[in-house]
Amino acid sequence: MATGVWLIGARGSVAVTSMVGALALRAGLAEPVGCVCELPQLRGPALPGLSELVFGGHDVVTTPLSKKAEALAAAGVLPGRLVTALTDELHAVEDDLRPVPEGDRQAEVAAAMEADLAAFRDRHRLDRVVVVNVASTEPAAAPHPAHDDLAALVEALAAPGAVLPPSSLAAYAAFRAGCPFVDFTPSTGARLPALDELAVRERVPYAGSDGKTGETLVKSVLAPMFAMRNLAVRTWSGVNLLGGGDGANLADPAANAAKAASKQRVLGETLGYLPQGTTRIEYVDDIGDFKTAWDLITFSGFLGTPMRMEFTWHGCDSALAAPLVLDLARITAAAHRAGRGGPLPELAFFFKDPLGAGGHSLAEQWAILCDLVRRLGTGPR
Amino acid sequence: MATGVWLIGARGSVAVTSMVGALALRAGLAEPVGCVCELPQLRGPALPGLSELVFGGHDVVTTPLSKKAEALAAAGVLPGRLVTALTDELHAVEDDLRPVPEGDRQAEVAAAMEADLAAFRDRHRLDRVVVVNVASTEPAAAPHPAHDDLAALVEALAAPGAVLPPSSLAAYAAFRAGCPFVDFTPSTGARLPALDELAVRERVPYAGSDGKTGETLVKSVLAPMFAMRNLAVRTWSGVNLLGGGDGANLADPAANAAKAASKQRVLGETLGYLPQGTTRIEYVDDIGDFKTAWDLITFSGFLGTPMRMEFTWHGCDSALAAPLVLDLARITAAAHRAGRGGPLPELAFFFKDPLGAGGHSLAEQWAILCDLVRRLGTGPR
Amino acid sequence: MATGVWLIGARGSVAVTSMVGALALRAGLAEPVGCVCELPQLRGPALPGLSELVFGGHDVVTTPLSKKAEALAAAGVLPGRLVTALTDELHAVEDDLRPVPEGDRQAEVAAAMEADLAAFRDRHRLDRVVVVNVASTEPAAAPHPAHDDLAALVEALAAPGAVLPPSSLAAYAAFRAGCPFVDFTPSTGARLPALDELAVRERVPYAGSDGKTGETLVKSVLAPMFAMRNLAVRTWSGVNLLGGGDGANLADPAANAAKAASKQRVLGETLGYLPQGTTRIEYVDDIGDFKTAWDLITFSGFLGTPMRMEFTWHGCDSALAAPLVLDLARITAAAHRAGRGGPLPELAFFFKDPLGAGGHSLAEQWAILCDLVRRLGTGPR
Amino acid sequence: MATGVWLIGARGSVAVTSMVGALALRAGLAEPVGCVCELPQLRGPALPGLSELVFGGHDVVTTPLSKKAEALAAAGVLPGRLVTALTDELHAVEDDLRPVPEGDRQAEVAAAMEADLAAFRDRHRLDRVVVVNVASTEPAAAPHPAHDDLAALVEALAAPGAVLPPSSLAAYAAFRAGCPFVDFTPSTGARLPALDELAVRERVPYAGSDGKTGETLVKSVLAPMFAMRNLAVRTWSGVNLLGGGDGANLADPAANAAKAASKQRVLGETLGYLPQGTTRIEYVDDIGDFKTAWDLITFSGFLGTPMRMEFTWHGCDSALAAPLVLDLARITAAAHRAGRGGPLPELAFFFKDPLGAGGHSLAEQWAILCDLVRRLGTGPR
Ligand SMILES: NC(=O)c1ccc[n+]([C@@H]2O[C@H](COP(=O)([O-])OP(=O)(O)OC[C@H]3O[C@@H](n4cnc5c(N)ncnc54)[C@H](O)[C@@H]3O)[C@@H](O)[C@H]2O)c1
Ligand SMILES: NC(=O)c1ccc[n+]([C@@H]2O[C@H](COP(=O)([O-])OP(=O)(O)OC[C@H]3O[C@@H](n4cnc5c(N)ncnc54)[C@H](O)[C@@H]3O)[C@@H](O)[C@H]2O)c1
Ligand SMILES: NC(=O)c1ccc[n+]([C@@H]2O[C@H](COP(=O)([O-])OP(=O)(O)OC[C@H]3O[C@@H](n4cnc5c(N)ncnc54)[C@H](O)[C@@H]3O)[C@@H](O)[C@H]2O)c1
Ligand SMILES: NC(=O)c1ccc[n+]([C@@H]2O[C@H](COP(=O)([O-])OP(=O)(O)OC[C@H]3O[C@@H](n4cnc5c(N)ncnc54)[C@H](O)[C@@H]3O)[C@@H](O)[C@H]2O)c1
Ligand code: NA
Ligand code: NA
């Protein structure tokens, strides 16, 4: 199953780490550490193979892929030897990257995007193309009446002016081109009634939002632990120090608020009450691509005895995110092949702010994911 | 269902915290924080109510319960106001405590224990009595041929000399008296073929071993997180600083080794490989009943990028253990009523070193526990 | 040397802990742990003895001392047994507490305060009275032209309206009454040119500002360590989670900003450059009087190698502050007796935001303090 | 002042990092971060310049310098670009490395070492050569009567058999060749009465022992902080996880014990009492050259209130040690020129286990060091 992976934000850290990694795995230069789909529970013929993935994408900047890859190697995100070894492969991918189309009317922009997707599919004779949003997090989008109804949306897009934020326009273009859409960011993406209507109509699946890679991942196992033991969490307060491109963007309070809220949601929903405390995000240039998060949890046990736990997480966000991007592309492609359209809430395992009303316990999400992949393996092609 | 809880080590920290807590809950002086059986998923008529529990037990020391309870209050384990409010109730329990019987032959000792259990049951007209071992951890027991066969064991116990360690003798006496047995300690307890034979024959259930209350509890959710994400854990190294009676006992290298091994087992079984590093236990008198554990985890992600996590757990062991003792007594009593005999591997949720070959993921253990309790609620009485 | 200690904010946590502690020390019920003046380097006849201190003060609330002391005991700040044992002594102190005087003109208020101070001195035949501000932190004061000149200030105070913030009015009253003034808070206090003029004219010493008890104390030894080793600190980012009365007050952004700035100053002045990062203060009710601060320090060593240190401080602010209040009262009284007037920059050891231009290294501040006390011991009486 | 630096263990991590760093500084490719002698307080004409240092040394292994340097770069200890840029310079140093001489009698071995030192001095026309021991830590040396008397020692060395451990034999050879000796390791080195006698007679200075680079450095500022504030430290317990060549060596219990003892000494001497707890060293291969140390400190404040601090130190030992090796060589050379012979207790700032009876407070040690360097700058040449 030759599968295209079209990355919105294709020259960013997550995108380039994903591409270098997939190329390295194909070339036998690395082990699939961090690739969930390579675990015994998920591996199988239902999913496209890692070597069947073909990359392309949009970005607003023009930094050459090889330069970005070198920067990531210098920062310790990638081994430099891989970048050297994969120079040719990266140059080949470069040919499949396109600038984000521009235009006065968003309908034109979307049409140009669709054309880029179709050309990519044809050029490489792909069975399907999955669009994955790994662009910079947007500020929260302004509401617009056309968001709620597909017909109204089509009409509004044809007029001048911005109706959809970029992430949602990308989803719109993807759906119109018959491509599944995955939102790895906290941006709006496909989460508008009009876009859901389109995805369902076109029978293309979509997944999101906001890849779960660090502190929230830890929360999604620790919060259930406190809940299962009936311990009363009093305070859960955390700070995330991060640098890199994404960090600078999140220092923008508007983007920050969206992200912080999705980080705290897991607690309320898992515990059944919201402990005191907040999650703060702070930009520290020197931290670079390695994030340090510290969380303090105070809780009381039997007869009120006060206790505490704290943890420090020192993770490389791009290295944690990249294999999940590959996983998501593969599973979403398989879901598309199996005839699924509309939201894929079964992928909550991967997201901080998952679609649907399921729980936030990682273990439950894992069971649901395993079940989905098993069914995809036996379902209709 | 009037249910006796006979505590081996009844004057120790865990035992006294359990009893004060149960009395406080019955008197409406406290909330059932930490009591797993009070969660919506488990609560129900299948289990004896908290107010149906009646306490008694053996100990080798004679410290009055009220004095021990005051010491626990001074140490911050219990609220002092509860100890004051429950003076009368504690005095009543005092009447049901007995010294550990002595004798030249272990058969005699066991017979005297059985008599204590029967008298307790009759005195309070109890439906059944669950024996729970919360005595000091023993050194690893010397092997003996009679451990493997019940007939040989009965014969050996009738001769002079020590064939069984105290925890196993207590299990033997419990089974002969028709009482379920729970081992909250890492001692040998019921884990001998001859005792399993007896439990099965007498149709009494047993559960164990070693209550999971601190660092291992955290490990049982973090290790599956790394496994589910296919991240390669390189090092997992921890240190446990603990004081209190149990701490002093564990400073004994023989007891220490048993405990440290059961603490590391969860990693190997969950990850499928054993990372570098060890778990050390250190006795620090000043730490008292509050344990501080620190763990460092180094792991590598996609393309080998090195990352790290560390956590500090500052928990009051007795306050974490006590509600679990009540949970275990209630569930084991219900299993007995439902006709279960022999090992109860479904209680792995509560133990560091569970019976049976199940996994060490807390979430899986939780699902299994919920399922057991549901079945107990609908099964034969 | 009978020495009065007049506490502004006398019913607050720091004040009450100071008084209970001094009474307990006098009664032989406690050891002088935390009292810097009881170290061999400072102990001596130059300073009034701990048992020569007599307490009084102002507050805007009327909570009885004994009630506040009980609340502190319940929160683990004080041992309950001391509160019980010192009931009579605390009642005696209650007689020396006064409401903060009110009036349309600040000159009247100040005169009433002076009268309270004089009456206290006479009532107990005190050699002198030291006024110590431990009231809630004020928002940053609005500038006023009269702050710069004593004559203008006297005139402005005689007119209606608020010219001085409460802390500065207290300093004004103290100086007019011939009393030394210590500011343990980050409020303005005596730090106005007009007040300095008054203190110098009246030959009364003053000291401040903002007691150094937690994270900043640690910074004042760690930052010099990095400096002495010529290591390049890249990031120093911290978060302070605190509850209690002071915490609630500091949640007010205006007060917060003053405190956060004084916390970061130590870094710039010690290192010679300001690393990235900030110090945040967050109010978490459940934390109570025990503050948890977490700091991350990233630094680079030889040839740029990146390294990191993090620390967690879990301290009881009132228990750290109270003995310093006693130390400051004793040393300031001795300085007054020795004829010192105006600022006492030699007390920088005690403060986050010290008077004068001295360094922020704790060890240097300690040497200067020892030297001052030695000179006070041999100087003119 | 052309100054030779003769490294015992010249192919080890610390040695190679020192040499690469000095060459990089000379070539203007790096900043002197971590070099204490480049701070304004110490910089000056009293000390040989960094570019006046010339390197040679002994080792028992033959790994080429460039290969070791590449390994250090791969491990993140050195920037790879420096190793590439300094290829020629490293090859030049290679010519000045010698195998450790061998022989039946230690007198012969020492004579061969002296010849190596003299040849090195002559070859490069050096004003003097400082011998610095950075070889693997030895097990504690067996006592021998000849250790106490120089005449006896000379006689014993002339007979077959091992009288001195290798580090002491190196010191003996250095002193006989008129070379100052610095021991950066916890081995015996010059710390024998007979060797002291020799150093004094030959008027050559020596310094040691055991470079203070990580957890002990932090202890040397935190312990004085607690002492200056009269806070009662109850527990100080730490664990050091380290890999690399030195780590493997320290996993040997005999070497480990020497190191752990020197790590705990600072506490007892600074506080005046020894808190509970221990310092453990654990070898974890995956940690590599980056050490992680975690320390828990529990202390009580005023009226006994219990508090706690913990810190994690994540440092690259070789990158911390290397600039100190350069500092020590420069200062010891200057002391030699100034006519100092025998021990240099003024260099305690650099060592975990310093010579002489001075205090362990880093700030005091710093003042003493500054004073020494100032005097060297104005003393006789
Ligand atoms: N790394 C993680 O662990 C993680 C986890 C969850 C979410 N995310 C999200 O993934 C996204 C990417 O993170 P990153 O670290 O790679 O950031 P990055 O800044 O390195 O890359 C973002 C890229 O998006 C491009 N871009 C910006 N606007 C665009 C647009 N309108 N259309 C196309 N491209 C556009 C930028 O030019 C840049 O190349 C962010 O939104 C981040 O919040 C990352
Ligand atoms: N608290 C926890 O979180 C936790 C977790 C897992 C296991 N455990 C285990 O629970 C046990 C109890 O812990 P604790 O903190 O209460 O210890 P403790 O020392 O306070 O109490 C143990 C009691 O057992 C008594 N005892 C000793 N030998 C006995 C014997 N042969 N028969 C009867 N009584 C005997 C002692 O006199 C003492 O009163 C320990 O084995 C401990 O390892 C505790
Ligand atoms: N505890 C520490 O470690 C520490 C360190 C540095 C500074 N401080 C400062 O010490 C002060 C006291 O801290 P706390 O924890 O005792 O606070 P608290 O809130 O417990 O007590 C403050 C008291 O001041 C009183 N008050 C408020 N305004 C007043 C006024 N105008 N005149 C007289 N009294 C007034 C309040 O009624 C209260 O009783 C705060 O400003 C705090 O920032 C404390
Ligand atoms: N790096 C630090 O922060 C630090 C701090 C204090 C002390 N030290 C000490 O410095 C020493 C060096 O540390 P490292 O990390 O470079 O270790 P390393 O293992 O990398 O290097 C030691 C070198 O010494 C050589 N050697 C062994 N025995 C020898 C002998 N008899 N004569 C000559 N050479 C010999 C080895 O072959 C090796 O090349 C160790 O003793 C260590 O304990 C290091
Ligand atoms: Na920590
Ligand atoms: Na930490």
Side-chain angles (χ1 to χ4, degrees):
Chain A
M1 178 160 63
T3 304
V5 183
W6 187 267
L7 299 161
I8 312 293
R11 300 183 186 282
S13 299
V14 172
V16 175
T17 307
S18 303
M19 293 186 287
V20 170
L23 296 172
L25 289 168
R26 175 151 58 193
L29 299 172
E31 296 294 311
V33 174
C35 294
V36 172
C37 290
E38 296 301 310
L39 285 169
Q41 295 93 329
L42 300 190
R43 195 165 25 194
L47 307 179
L50 274 164
S51 56
E52 291 177 294
L53 303 182
V54 179
F55 293 90
H58 282 136
D59 205 307
V60 292
V61 299
T62 56
T63 336
L65 281 187
S66 57
K67 228 185 116 207
K68 179 72 183 179
E70 277 157 25
L72 289 167
V77 178
L78 293 173
R81 57 171 184 84
L82 288 187
V83 180
T84 315
L86 297 165
T87 312
D88 293 351
E89 287 82 349
L90 282 169
H91 276 131
V93 173
E94 187 71 59
D95 291 342
D96 281 310
L97 302 196
R98 297 286 175 274
V100 176
E102 297 190 352
D104 282 349
R105 288 150 206 258
Q106 288 193 316
E108 289 164 37
V109 176
M113 285 174 167
E114 288 168 54
D116 284 344
L117 288 169
F120 175 58
R121 179 165 42 199
D122 296 347
R123 202 155 59 242
H124 294 283
R125 302 166 181 275
L126 301 168
D127 291 313
R128 61 185 47 75
V129 175
V130 178
V131 176
V132 183
N133 182 24
V134 285
S136 317
T137 299
E138 303 164 357
H144 189 288
H147 290 174
D148 290 337
D149 178 76
L150 181 54
L153 180 64
V154 171
E155 196 173 326
L157 292 172
V163 176
L164 291 176
S167 62
S168 300
L169 194 63
Y172 177 80
F175 294 159
R176 285 179 57 107
C179 298
F181 178 81
V182 175
D183 206 333
F184 204 78
T185 83
S187 303
T188 308
R191 290 179 293 175
L192 293 174
L195 295 178
D196 179 72
E197 197 182 333
L198 178 59
V200 169
R201 195 186 73 190
E202 301 294 326
R203 297 192 58 131
V204 284
Y206 66 90
S209 293
D210 203 5
K212 179 160 68 185
T213 50
E215 190 209 16
T216 311
L217 178 65
V218 180
K219 274 182 174 163
S220 73
V221 297
L222 286 182
M225 178 191 84
F226 288 107
M228 286 185 272
R229 282 297 176 93
N230 203 7
L231 297 166
V233 176
R234 309 289 304 265
T235 306
W236 197 312
S237 215
V239 55
N240 281 265
L241 306 177
L242 65 166
D246 188 30
N249 187 269
L250 290 171
D252 170 26
N256 197 323
K259 196 115 180 177
S262 83
K263 270 166 167 297
Q264 210 64 354
R265 226 183 100 184
V266 58
L267 292 184
E269 298 189 4
T270 306
L271 297 171
Y273 54 88
L274 202 59
Q276 288 189 52
T278 56
T279 295
R280 267 138 311 140
I281 300 179
E282 183 187 342
Y283 178 70
V284 181
D285 184 55
D286 182 58
I287 298 277
D289 293 271
F290 283 79
K291 182 169 69 179
T292 294
W294 176 79
D295 276 38
L296 174 70
I297 306 146
T298 67
F299 59 101
S300 53
F302 202 44
L303 310 177
T305 318
M307 315 191 207
R308 357 179 342 116
M309 176 178 183
E310 59 180 274
F311 68 85
T312 306
W313 172 267
H314 179 60
C316 176
D317 266 7
S318 301
L320 289 162
L324 303 184
V325 165
L326 305 180
D327 288 325
L328 283 162
R330 294 166 74 189
I331 300 172
T332 310
H336 188 219
R337 177 167 63 171
R340 283 288 297 266
L344 291 174
E346 298 97 329
L347 300 193
F349 177 78
F350 294 101
F351 295 113
K352 280 204 270 294
D353 199 10
L355 299 170
H360 279 270
S361 152
L362 191 72
E364 287 170 26
Q365 295 172 337
W366 171 243
I368 290 166
L369 175 66
C370 291
D371 192 54
L372 170 70
V373 173
R374 199 167 34 243
R375 283 185 288 111
L376 293 178
T378 56
R381 295 293 150 98
Chain B
M1 178 162 62
T3 304
V5 183
W6 187 267
L7 298 161
I8 313 293
R11 300 182 185 281
S13 299
V14 172
V16 175
T17 307
S18 303
M19 293 186 286
V20 170
L23 297 172
L25 289 168
R26 175 152 58 194
L29 298 172
E31 296 293 311
V33 174
C35 293
V36 171
C37 289
E38 296 301 309
L39 285 168
Q41 295 93 329
L42 299 190
R43 195 165 23 195
L47 307 178
L50 275 163
S51 57
E52 291 177 294
L53 304 181
V54 179
F55 294 90
H58 283 135
D59 205 308
V60 291
V61 300
T62 56
T63 336
L65 281 187
S66 56
K67 232 187 112 201
K68 179 73 184 177
E70 277 158 25
L72 289 167
V77 177
L78 293 173
R81 57 170 184 85
L82 289 186
V83 180
T84 315
L86 297 165
T87 312
D88 293 352
E89 286 83 350
L90 282 170
H91 276 130
V93 173
E94 187 73 59
D95 291 343
D96 280 309
L97 302 195
R98 297 285 174 274
V100 176
E102 297 190 353
D104 283 350
R105 287 147 209 260
Q106 287 194 314
E108 288 166 37
V109 176
M113 286 174 165
E114 289 169 54
D116 284 342
L117 288 169
F120 175 58
R121 178 165 42 198
D122 296 348
R123 201 157 58 242
H124 294 283
R125 302 165 183 275
L126 302 168
D127 290 312
R128 59 185 49 75
V129 175
V130 178
V131 175
V132 183
N133 182 24
V134 286
S136 318
T137 299
E138 301 163 357
H144 189 287
H147 289 175
D148 291 336
D149 178 77
L150 181 56
L153 180 64
V154 172
E155 196 172 325
L157 291 173
V163 176
L164 291 175
S167 63
S168 300
L169 194 61
Y172 177 80
F175 295 159
R176 286 179 55 110
C179 298
F181 178 81
V182 175
D183 205 333
F184 204 79
T185 82
S187 302
T188 308
R191 290 180 292 176
L192 293 174
L195 294 178
D196 179 73
E197 199 182 330
L198 178 59
V200 170
R201 197 186 73 190
E202 300 294 326
R203 300 192 56 133
V204 284
Y206 64 92
S209 292
D210 204 4
K212 179 160 66 186
T213 49
E215 189 208 17
T216 310
L217 177 66
V218 179
K219 274 182 174 163
S220 73
V221 296
L222 286 182
M225 178 191 84
F226 288 107
M228 286 185 274
R229 281 297 175 93
N230 202 7
L231 297 165
V233 176
R234 310 288 304 266
T235 307
W236 197 312
S237 215
V239 55
N240 282 264
L241 306 177
L242 66 165
D246 188 30
N249 187 267
L250 289 170
D252 171 27
N256 197 324
K259 197 114 181 180
S262 83
K263 271 167 167 297
Q264 212 62 355
R265 228 184 98 185
V266 58
L267 291 184
E269 298 190 3
T270 306
L271 297 171
Y273 54 88
L274 201 59
Q276 287 189 55
T278 54
T279 297
R280 266 138 312 141
I281 301 179
E282 184 188 341
Y283 178 70
V284 181
D285 184 55
D286 182 57
I287 297 278
D289 293 87
F290 283 79
K291 181 169 69 180
T292 293
W294 174 79
D295 275 37
L296 173 70
I297 306 147
T298 68
F299 59 101
S300 52
F302 204 44
L303 311 177
T305 318
M307 315 191 207
R308 357 177 342 114
M309 174 177 186
E310 58 181 274
F311 69 84
T312 307
W313 172 268
H314 180 61
C316 177
D317 267 6
S318 301
L320 289 162
L324 304 184
V325 165
L326 305 180
D327 288 326
L328 283 162
R330 294 167 73 188
I331 300 173
T332 311
H336 188 220
R337 178 166 63 172
R340 283 288 297 266
L344 291 174
E346 297 97 330
L347 301 193
F349 178 78
F350 295 100
F351 296 113
K352 282 205 269 295
D353 198 10
L355 299 171
H360 279 270
S361 152
L362 192 72
E364 287 171 27
Q365 294 171 338
W366 170 244
I368 290 167
L369 175 66
C370 292
D371 192 54
L372 170 71
V373 174
R374 196 165 38 242
R375 284 185 290 110
L376 292 179
T378 56
R381 296 296 151 97
Chain C
M1 181 161 60
T3 303
V5 182
W6 187 267
L7 299 161
I8 313 293
R11 299 183 187 282
S13 299
V14 172
V16 175
T17 307
S18 303
M19 293 186 288
V20 170
L23 297 172
L25 289 168
R26 176 152 56 194
L29 298 173
E31 296 294 310
V33 174
C35 294
V36 172
C37 289
E38 296 300 311
L39 284 168
Q41 294 93 327
L42 299 190
R43 196 164 25 194
L47 307 179
L50 274 164
S51 56
E52 290 177 295
L53 303 181
V54 179
F55 293 91
H58 282 136
D59 204 308
V60 292
V61 299
T62 55
T63 337
L65 280 187
S66 56
K67 229 185 116 206
K68 178 74 183 178
E70 276 158 25
L72 290 167
V77 178
L78 293 173
R81 57 169 184 84
L82 288 186
V83 180
T84 316
L86 296 166
T87 312
D88 293 351
E89 287 82 350
L90 282 170
H91 276 130
V93 174
E94 187 73 60
D95 291 342
D96 281 309
L97 302 195
R98 296 285 175 274
V100 177
E102 299 189 352
D104 282 349
R105 289 151 206 257
Q106 288 194 316
E108 288 165 36
V109 176
M113 286 174 167
E114 288 168 55
D116 283 344
L117 288 170
F120 176 57
R121 180 166 42 201
D122 296 348
R123 201 156 58 243
H124 293 283
R125 302 165 182 274
L126 301 168
D127 290 313
R128 60 185 47 74
V129 175
V130 179
V131 175
V132 183
N133 182 24
V134 285
S136 317
T137 300
E138 302 164 358
H144 189 288
H147 290 175
D148 291 337
D149 178 76
L150 181 55
L153 180 65
V154 171
E155 197 172 325
L157 291 173
V163 177
L164 291 176
S167 63
S168 300
L169 194 63
Y172 177 79
F175 293 160
R176 286 179 55 108
C179 297
F181 178 82
V182 175
D183 205 334
F184 204 78
T185 83
S187 302
T188 310
R191 290 179 294 176
L192 293 174
L195 295 177
D196 179 72
E197 198 182 331
L198 179 59
V200 169
R201 195 186 74 189
E202 300 294 326
R203 299 192 58 129
V204 285
Y206 66 90
S209 293
D210 203 5
K212 179 160 67 185
T213 50
E215 190 208 16
T216 311
L217 177 66
V218 180
K219 274 182 174 163
S220 73
V221 297
L222 285 183
M225 179 191 83
F226 288 107
M228 285 185 273
R229 281 297 175 93
N230 202 9
L231 297 166
V233 177
R234 309 290 304 266
T235 306
W236 197 312
S237 216
V239 55
N240 280 266
L241 306 177
L242 65 165
D246 189 29
N249 187 267
L250 289 170
D252 170 26
N256 197 323
K259 197 114 181 178
S262 83
K263 270 166 167 298
Q264 211 64 353
R265 227 183 99 186
V266 57
L267 291 184
E269 298 189 4
T270 306
L271 297 170
Y273 54 88
L274 202 59
Q276 289 189 51
T278 55
T279 297
R280 267 139 310 142
I281 300 179
E282 183 187 343
Y283 178 70
V284 181
D285 185 55
D286 181 57
I287 297 278
D289 293 270
F290 283 78
K291 181 169 68 179
T292 293
W294 176 79
D295 276 39
L296 174 70
I297 305 147
T298 68
F299 59 100
S300 53
F302 203 43
L303 310 177
T305 317
M307 314 191 208
R308 358 176 342 114
M309 176 177 182
E310 59 182 272
F311 68 84
T312 307
W313 173 267
H314 180 60
C316 176
D317 268 6
S318 302
L320 289 162
L324 304 183
V325 165
L326 305 180
D327 288 326
L328 283 162
R330 295 166 73 188
I331 300 173
T332 310
H336 189 221
R337 177 167 63 171
R340 284 288 297 267
L344 292 174
E346 297 97 331
L347 300 193
F349 177 79
F350 294 101
F351 296 113
K352 280 205 270 293
D353 199 10
L355 300 170
H360 279 271
S361 151
L362 191 73
E364 287 171 27
Q365 294 172 337
W366 171 243
I368 290 167
L369 176 66
C370 291
D371 192 53
L372 170 70
V373 173
R374 199 167 34 243
R375 283 186 290 108
L376 292 179
T378 56
R381 298 293 151 96
Chain D
M1 179 160 62
T3 303
V5 183
W6 187 267
L7 298 161
I8 313 293
R11 299 183 186 281
S13 300
V14 171
V16 175
T17 307
S18 302
M19 293 187 286
V20 170
L23 296 172
L25 289 168
R26 174 150 58 194
L29 298 172
E31 296 294 311
V33 174
C35 293
V36 172
C37 289
E38 296 300 310
L39 285 169
Q41 294 93 327
L42 299 190
R43 195 164 25 195
L47 306 179
L50 274 164
S51 57
E52 291 176 295
L53 303 181
V54 179
F55 293 90
H58 282 135
D59 204 308
V60 292
V61 299
T62 56
T63 338
L65 280 188
S66 55
K67 230 187 112 202
K68 178 73 185 179
E70 277 157 27
L72 290 167
V77 178
L78 293 173
R81 56 169 184 85
L82 289 186
V83 180
T84 316
L86 297 165
T87 312
D88 293 351
E89 287 82 349
L90 282 170
H91 276 130
V93 173
E94 187 73 60
D95 291 343
D96 280 310
L97 301 196
R98 296 287 175 274
V100 177
E102 297 190 352
D104 283 351
R105 288 149 208 259
Q106 287 194 314
E108 289 165 37
V109 176
M113 286 174 166
E114 288 169 54
D116 283 344
L117 288 169
F120 175 57
R121 178 165 44 198
D122 296 348
R123 201 156 59 244
H124 294 283
R125 302 167 183 274
L126 302 168
D127 290 313
R128 59 184 50 72
V129 175
V130 178
V131 176
V132 183
N133 182 24
V134 286
S136 318
T137 300
E138 303 163 356
H144 188 287
H147 290 175
D148 291 336
D149 178 76
L150 181 56
L153 179 64
V154 172
E155 197 172 325
L157 292 172
V163 176
L164 291 176
S167 62
S168 301
L169 194 61
Y172 177 80
F175 294 159
R176 287 180 55 109
C179 298
F181 178 82
V182 176
D183 206 334
F184 203 78
T185 82
S187 303
T188 308
R191 290 179 293 176
L192 293 174
L195 294 177
D196 180 72
E197 197 182 332
L198 178 59
V200 169
R201 196 186 74 190
E202 300 294 327
R203 299 191 57 129
V204 285
Y206 65 91
S209 292
D210 204 5
K212 179 160 66 186
T213 50
E215 189 209 17
T216 311
L217 178 66
V218 179
K219 274 183 175 164
S220 74
V221 297
L222 286 183
M225 178 190 84
F226 288 106
M228 286 184 275
R229 282 297 175 93
N230 203 7
L231 297 166
V233 176
R234 309 290 303 265
T235 306
W236 196 313
S237 215
V239 56
N240 282 264
L241 306 177
L242 66 166
D246 189 30
N249 188 269
L250 289 171
D252 171 26
N256 197 321
K259 197 116 181 177
S262 82
K263 270 167 168 296
Q264 211 64 353
R265 229 184 97 185
V266 58
L267 291 184
E269 297 189 5
T270 306
L271 297 171
Y273 54 88
L274 203 59
Q276 288 189 54
T278 55
T279 297
R280 265 137 312 141
I281 301 178
E282 184 188 341
Y283 178 70
V284 181
D285 185 54
D286 181 57
I287 297 277
D289 293 87
F290 283 79
K291 182 169 68 180
T292 294
W294 174 77
D295 275 37
L296 173 70
I297 306 147
T298 68
F299 59 101
S300 52
F302 202 45
L303 311 177
T305 318
M307 314 191 207
R308 359 179 338 117
M309 174 177 186
E310 59 181 274
F311 68 84
T312 306
W313 172 266
H314 180 60
C316 177
D317 267 5
S318 301
L320 289 162
L324 304 184
V325 165
L326 304 180
D327 288 325
L328 283 162
R330 295 167 73 190
I331 300 172
T332 311
H336 188 221
R337 178 167 65 173
R340 284 287 298 265
L344 291 174
E346 297 97 332
L347 300 192
F349 178 78
F350 294 100
F351 296 113
K352 282 205 269 294
D353 198 10
L355 300 171
H360 279 270
S361 151
L362 192 73
E364 286 171 26
Q365 294 172 338
W366 171 243
I368 289 167
L369 175 67
C370 291
D371 192 53
L372 170 71
V373 174
R374 196 166 38 241
R375 283 185 291 108
L376 292 179
T378 56
R381 295 295 151 97

